[in-house]
Amino acid sequence: MSDVIEMVIPAKPDYVGVARLTVSGIASRMGYTFDEIEDIKIAVSEAITNSVNHAYGTKDEGEIRLSYGMFDDKLEITVMDKGKSFDVKAAKLSTGPVNGKPVEQINEGGLGLFLIETLMDKVDISDEAGVVVMMTKYLNRDGVDESVDQYKSAPSQ
C-alpha cells in the first residue's frame, strides 16, 4: 500500500524550506530516525536548489514539481523541473570529491549531486525533458529486519 503527496512550488529559493518541512513531516510520520530525516532533507534541498539555480536561468517563472511516494518500506521522492537540462554523466565526472580532489579544491557548487547520491539509497536522474531526480530512502528501522521482532517477544525462562 502506498500514498502519494504531490506539490508544485515556484522555482525560487524562498520555497526550498517549504519542501524541507514537508519531507521532514512525511519522513517523521513514516518512522525514520532523526539522522535519516536530516539526510533526506539535505538531499531534497540539494535537488531543489539545483533546479532553482540552473533550470530556468534568470527567468522568474519556472516551477518545480515534487512527489513524495510513501510505501511500507521506503520513501520515494521525485523533484522535477521543465527547465534547462544538463549532461548528467559529464556533471558527475567534473564535480564532487569522487575524482580524488582534496576537500580544499572542491567547488562549493559541485557537491549537490555527490551529496544526493551519498545520502539516499537509490538515485536516478533523467535529463531528457528538463531534469527529473528520483530519490529513494529505504526504511530500515535501525537496521533491524521486522522478522527479528518475533524473537523479542519470546517469554523468558
Side-chain angles (χ1 to χ4, degrees):
M1 181 175 168
S2 67
D3 291 324
V4 177
I5 296 175
E6 295 180 326
M7 60 189 291
V8 179
I9 60 173
K12 297 177 181 178
D14 301 342
Y15 295 94
V16 175
V18 172
R20 284 176 55 94
L21 287 172
T22 301
V23 77
S24 177
I26 292 169
S28 177
R29 183 181 177 281
M30 292 179 67
Y32 285 94
T33 66
F34 176 81
D35 289 339
E36 291 170 329
I37 292 170
E38 291 301 309
D39 289 351
I40 295 168
K41 287 167 52 180
I42 291 170
V44 168
S45 293
E46 290 296 330
I48 294 171
T49 299
N50 283 342
S51 290
V52 168
N53 291 339
H54 304 294
Y56 300 104
T58 57
K59 295 179 183 175
D60 212 19
E61 56 194 43
E63 61 184 25
I64 300 168
R65 295 187 173 277
L66 303 165
S67 172
Y68 305 97
M70 297 169 285
F71 298 86
D72 290 338
D73 63 338
K74 63 185 174 185
L75 174 61
E76 291 183 344
I77 305 159
T78 302
V79 177
M80 178 175 57
D81 67 62
K82 299 246 183 219
K84 181 180 167 188
S85 296
F86 67 99
D87 185 342
V88 175
K89 289 181 183 175
K92 285 182 181 178
L93 290 174
S94 66
T95 61
V98 291
N99 287 336
K101 296 178 191 172
V103 173
E104 305 82 40
Q105 295 179 0
I106 298 169
N107 295 330
E108 183 178 325
L111 292 175
L113 291 177
F114 175 77
L115 283 173
I116 292 168
E117 291 191 336
T118 300
L119 298 174
M120 300 300 283
D121 294 324
K122 181 180 175 190
V123 177
D124 293 312
I125 302 174
S126 170
D127 58 357
E128 292 178 12
V131 175
V132 179
V133 180
M134 293 173 285
M135 303 172 280
T136 302
K137 188 73 167 181
Y138 290 99
L139 188 56
N140 286 330
R141 300 189 194 284
D142 294 331
V144 178
D145 189 86
E146 288 183 17
S147 63
V148 174
D149 288 342
Q150 66 182 331
Y151 300 108
K152 279 179 137 180
S153 61
S156 60
Q157 298 178 11

